[in-house]
Amino acid sequence: MTSSADALLAAHAATAEAVAALLHPHAEVVLHDLASGRIAGIWNALSGRRPGMESLVDDVPGDGRVFGPYEKTAGDGRRLKSVTAVLADPAGLFCINLDVSQFDAAARLLSAFSGAAAPRPPSLFAGDWREEINTALHGWLRERGLTVPALKRGDRVALVAALDARGLFLTRNAVDHLAGLLGASRASIYNYLAAARRSNQKDRTP
């Protein structure tokens, strides 16, 4: 090992080891000695490289810069997400190669379970007025980037007006159900509904 590599390890080996320990076994950490063009140290060697092997690094920009995250591919085809910091005195590169292939697999698995395989059969749920209110409520919230706790009175009146326009208060227990969803009283929902209908009536008045 060259003196430049020894100096690089003395300055950065503890940091490299800490990062590798935190991300084990999913990340490889590599210290490249630019003076010798070789690997000074490597932790969690996913790539099969060893200290002393050639770095195979071309032209390196000025020190103090961080590059990435960028994508790389491991020898076995795994997708890696990498970041490189340029070091000075001694000159080197601090590289972290994170194996994200398992995260990709997990994302596909979650998507398979959470995604709807087919449309909801209309005939089975035609009478499910609770589901209709749930869907309409949360669709209205998503469109406006709102949450139930953040709703002010004006928002609640507008929401009730939208539900009323869809005929969702024709069901006997709809007010009770919506009151439970909003954490409001039945009286409050009736007040919002009355306000919404008064406003709608004014809009229709020539």
Side-chain angles (χ1 to χ4, degrees):
M1 195 75 72
T2 65
S3 59
S4 57
D6 290 338
L8 194 66
L9 287 170
H12 301 289
T15 302
E17 186 174 351
V19 173
L22 177 65
L23 300 178
H24 181 273
H26 304 294
E28 172 185 78
V29 181
V30 189
L31 275 176
H32 294 278
D33 174 22
L34 295 182
S36 66
R38 295 188 176 275
I39 295 173
I42 187 166
W43 295 260
N44 294 343
L46 304 177
S47 60
R49 293 175 293 176
R50 300 184 304 277
M53 294 180 67
E54 288 187 75
S55 292
L56 303 177
V57 174
D58 294 325
D59 186 42
V60 178
D63 62 275
R65 296 188 61 185
V66 175
F67 297 90
Y70 52 88
E71 282 203 9
K72 294 177 64 178
T73 303
D76 59 3
R78 285 177 295 174
R79 190 169 70 91
L80 306 177
K81 189 174 184 180
S82 304
V83 64
T84 295
V86 183
L87 308 173
D89 194 26
L93 297 178
F94 188 109
C95 301
I96 304 171
N97 302 312
L98 180 66
D99 176 9
V100 295
S101 61
Q102 295 187 44
F103 299 109
D104 291 340
R108 289 192 296 270
L109 178 64
L110 291 173
S111 177
F113 276 105
S114 63
R120 185 180 65 179
S123 59
L124 292 181
F125 298 95
D128 192 345
W129 55 269
R130 292 182 181 83
E131 172 65 17
E132 290 297 324
I133 292 176
N134 295 347
T135 300
L137 164 64
H138 292 289
W140 189 91
L141 292 173
R142 278 194 300 272
E143 288 174 2
R144 291 157 181 79
L146 296 172
T147 61
V148 169
L151 294 178
K152 296 181 170 51
R153 176 180 167 78
D155 299 322
R156 292 175 178 242
V157 171
L159 167 63
V160 168
L163 299 182
D164 191 34
R166 295 178 57 166
L168 296 179
F169 289 107
L170 297 178
T171 302
R172 177 179 175 184
N173 295 316
V175 168
D176 289 335
H177 183 65
L178 183 62
L181 295 176
L182 297 183
S185 64
R186 294 176 73 255
S188 294
I189 301 299
Y190 279 117
N191 285 336
Y192 302 149
L193 184 58
R197 289 175 175 173
R198 283 196 301 270
S199 177
N200 187 45
Q201 186 63 36
K202 288 180 181 177
D203 292 340
R204 291 182 179 180
T205 302

